[in-house]
Amino acid sequence: MHSANGPRQTIDAEDLTGGLCPSNLRSMDNQTPLVGVVMGSKSDWETMRRAVEILERFEIPHEVRVMSAHRTPEVTLEWASSAEERGLEVIIAAAGGAAHLAGVVASKTVLPVLGVPMQAWSLDGLDSLLSTVQMPGGIPVGTLAIGKAGATNAGILAAQILGVKHPAYREAVRAYRKERADAVLAEGDPRTSD
Ligand code: RP5
């Protein structure tokens, strides 16, 4: 059984490399990760750090990896195939351009896969969005918004999915919502704010 409330595994951005070897994970307490966050390139990290920040805030154990449906297909297939037996319960997959990572991962696991389209270098991320969202019937990818909002929401949605089984994460999301609502209401009249 996995604890619903324990500390997490995380990784330094500098350590983001491909490959299945877990040596690039900085384990804070050896707790089994519940969420796997994968991205097609280290260049996606500036966006995807927002998903990881949410997982850290909610103290959800997680792992973070760089792998590519095109550049490291064997590693991607192996990682996705072994995700369930390694204890993961939700996967977040981000890629840009011809963004097939989430779909390829989804093809090899029955765990829920959340796709985050990167804004990337062309077409403002519309290419990434369509590549991620247009899955054939039978292999779903729950696709979030393009870019930073999508990354944040992927972290929150992962917590909500986990919350069905782990009530502590549901309550963490509830508290986060309240905090955000309080912050909005505290803004008051924008004409009088600095
Ligand atoms: C995709 O290509 C990655 O997910 C990234 O968004 C994009 C560009 O990758 P780099 O050329 O910056 O490595 O596979």
Side-chain angles (χ1 to χ4, degrees):
M1 289 294 289
H2 310 299
S3 162
N5 232 347
R8 66 276 183 190
Q9 284 187 316
T10 186
I11 189 173
D12 290 325
E14 294 72 26
D15 295 334
L16 288 170
T17 57
L20 270 180
C21 174
S23 60
N24 56 352
L25 288 174
R26 186 181 74 225
S27 174
M28 298 179 73
D29 69 344
N30 291 326
Q31 195 173 19
T32 304
L34 294 180
V35 179
V37 181
V38 290
M39 60 204 79
S41 169
K42 186 174 177 177
S43 64
D44 299 325
W45 173 243
E46 265 317 297
T47 303
M48 290 311 296
R49 67 164 66 246
R50 287 159 177 78
V52 173
E53 283 165 5
I54 291 289
L55 300 175
E56 290 179 346
R57 178 192 177 110
F58 294 167
E59 299 192 342
I60 296 172
H62 58 277
E63 64 180 35
V64 184
R65 303 291 301 275
V66 173
M67 62 189 66
S68 166
H70 306 120
R71 292 166 173 160
T72 65
E74 293 86 1
V75 167
T76 300
L77 294 174
E78 174 62 25
W79 184 87
S81 301
S82 63
E84 188 177 346
E85 69 194 32
R86 290 185 293 107
L88 294 181
E89 297 185 2
V90 181
I91 291 172
I92 297 172
H100 298 136
L101 181 60
V104 166
V105 168
S107 76
K108 297 297 285 184
T109 182
V110 294
L111 295 175
V113 176
L114 307 179
V116 185
M118 297 294 93
Q119 197 140 0
W121 68 97
S122 62
L123 305 180
D124 245 359
L126 185 58
D127 45 356
S128 316
L129 173 64
L130 296 178
S131 299
T132 303
V133 76
Q134 289 287 45
M135 289 296 293
I139 309 291
V141 167
T143 304
L144 284 301
I146 296 169
K148 296 172 183 174
T152 298
N153 284 344
I156 297 169
L157 191 52
Q160 291 176 269
I161 293 168
L162 291 173
V164 173
K165 177 179 173 185
H166 308 281
Y169 300 141
R170 178 182 296 173
E171 295 315 311
V173 173
R174 202 186 311 278
Y176 174 82
R177 287 267 184 102
K178 181 174 186 325
E179 190 179 304
R180 302 278 292 180
D182 289 347
V184 169
L185 296 175
E187 293 292 348
D189 185 336
R191 295 170 298 180
T192 58
S193 306
D194 329 345

